[in-house]
Amino acid sequence: MLAIIGGTGLTRLSTLAIARREVVRTPYGEPSSALVFGEIAATSALFLARHGHGHTIPPHRVNYRANLWALKNRGATAVLAVASVGGIRGVAPGELVLPHQIIDYTHDRPATFFDGGDRTVVHVDFTHPYTPALRQTCLEGAAKAGIALADGGVYAAVSGPRLETAAEIDRLDRDGATMVGMTGMPEAALARELELPYAAIAVVVNHGAGRGDSGDHISMESIADVLETAMEKVRTLLEHIAPLVQEYSTGAK
Ligand code: HPA
């Protein structure tokens, strides 16, 4: 079953015909919200609001371990994350991007299920942080939906919650990052540790600090405007991706 983790601007999924909600307890504490079970385009799916239903949990306080554990425990076989980002290079507000790489700058977040104690030491392979086959499925869904989804990008994960300085954005650019967001890690790595295929749809909501129309400051009003239109596209995209993921994760494809 496909699990969707909705970020800023996607705390509810109107395309999901809701069957039930479930509050899940985990060995890692409370997930961000109840899990919502339902159907998208006649395909069963599971939805979790990353920042809580009322959007009250900031990126550095999201319980990423509880979220991923709960999804796996309740039957998720693939995870599609939706996350808003600032654009650094080659992307503009309003665009949807399917990143293929990550650079992790986050700190002070519990970032692994393999935390010592009585467990053997495990180092998961993370060469390709986003599952290539799931990415491919997303691209096919986008083509069917007729929605532009840029193939590839390097996601810089920062702790936030403040936005970056212009110099920080320049540094991320020099490092090779093309977009910046606050929730991509450890979410992707935890999915890998649980052997859950994972991909992300990044919604570019602003130019990074110091760039383009964020030259002087980043406007929250324009972010809100961009989010609203872009999330409509994301909903349509999900309707086309969900049935394909179902085929993919049942091995029918
Ligand atoms: N920086 C970090 N995270 C973000 C941004 C940004 O500019 N926009 C949306 N999420």
Side-chain angles (χ1 to χ4, degrees):
M1 179 172 34
L2 171 65
I4 295 159
I5 303 181
T8 304
L10 198 71
T11 47
R12 266 171 295 110
L13 204 53
S14 54
T15 43
L16 185 74
I18 297 174
R20 67 191 170 92
R21 293 172 208 278
E22 196 181 340
V23 175
V24 181
R25 290 188 203 293
T26 86
Y28 303 95
E30 298 262 315
S32 297
S33 64
L35 302 191
V36 181
F37 293 78
E39 284 194 350
I40 300 177
T43 313
S44 49
L46 185 53
F47 180 80
L48 173 71
R50 186 189 286 115
H51 300 286
H53 279 302
H55 202 274
T56 49
I57 308 171
H60 62 292
R61 292 211 177 274
V62 170
N63 191 339
Y64 296 94
R65 290 195 298 188
N67 287 353
L68 272 298
W69 191 96
L71 293 177
K72 169 102 182 182
N73 184 260
R74 289 303 190 270
T77 51
V79 177
L80 193 52
V82 179
S84 66
V85 298
I88 299 178
R89 181 169 292 274
V91 289
E95 290 180 7
L96 306 182
V97 188
L98 190 69
H100 73 295
Q101 276 296 335
I102 297 176
I103 305 176
D104 187 10
Y105 301 90
T106 63
H107 49 82
D108 305 322
R109 296 181 177 185
T112 182
F113 291 110
F114 300 117
D115 217 7
D118 57 359
R119 307 187 67 160
T120 52
V121 176
V122 177
H123 304 283
V124 289
D125 178 74
F126 206 43
T127 311
H128 298 293
Y130 300 105
T131 309
L134 185 58
R135 287 189 72 254
Q136 209 49 46
T137 305
C138 291
L139 292 171
E140 281 168 33
K144 280 200 175 166
I147 287 180
L149 177 65
D151 181 5
V154 180
Y155 180 111
V158 297
S159 280
R162 68 163 176 83
L163 294 159
E164 297 69 43
T165 66
E168 285 169 340
I169 292 293
D170 289 343
R171 171 198 173 206
L172 297 179
D173 191 8
R174 286 193 300 276
D175 282 357
T178 60
M179 68 192 92
V180 57
M182 299 178 189
T183 56
M185 284 293 284
E187 198 170 87
L190 293 167
R192 179 61 51 85
E193 287 189 348
L194 294 178
E195 299 180 352
L196 274 173
Y198 178 93
I201 295 172
V203 181
V204 184
V205 293
N206 59 279
H207 286 286
R211 305 273 167 119
D213 58 10
S214 303
D216 200 34
H217 73 288
I218 293 180
S219 155
M220 289 302 141
E221 295 78 58
S222 70
I223 287 186
D225 289 346
V226 174
L227 257 180
E228 204 172 306
T229 344
M231 285 306 166
E232 272 317 304
K233 287 198 281 178
V234 169
R235 289 189 182 96
T236 309
L237 202 49
L238 292 174
E239 281 181 19
H240 288 80
I241 291 174
L244 297 180
V245 172
Q246 187 72 356
E247 291 172 27
Y248 155 81
S249 51
T250 54
K253 191 165 161 291

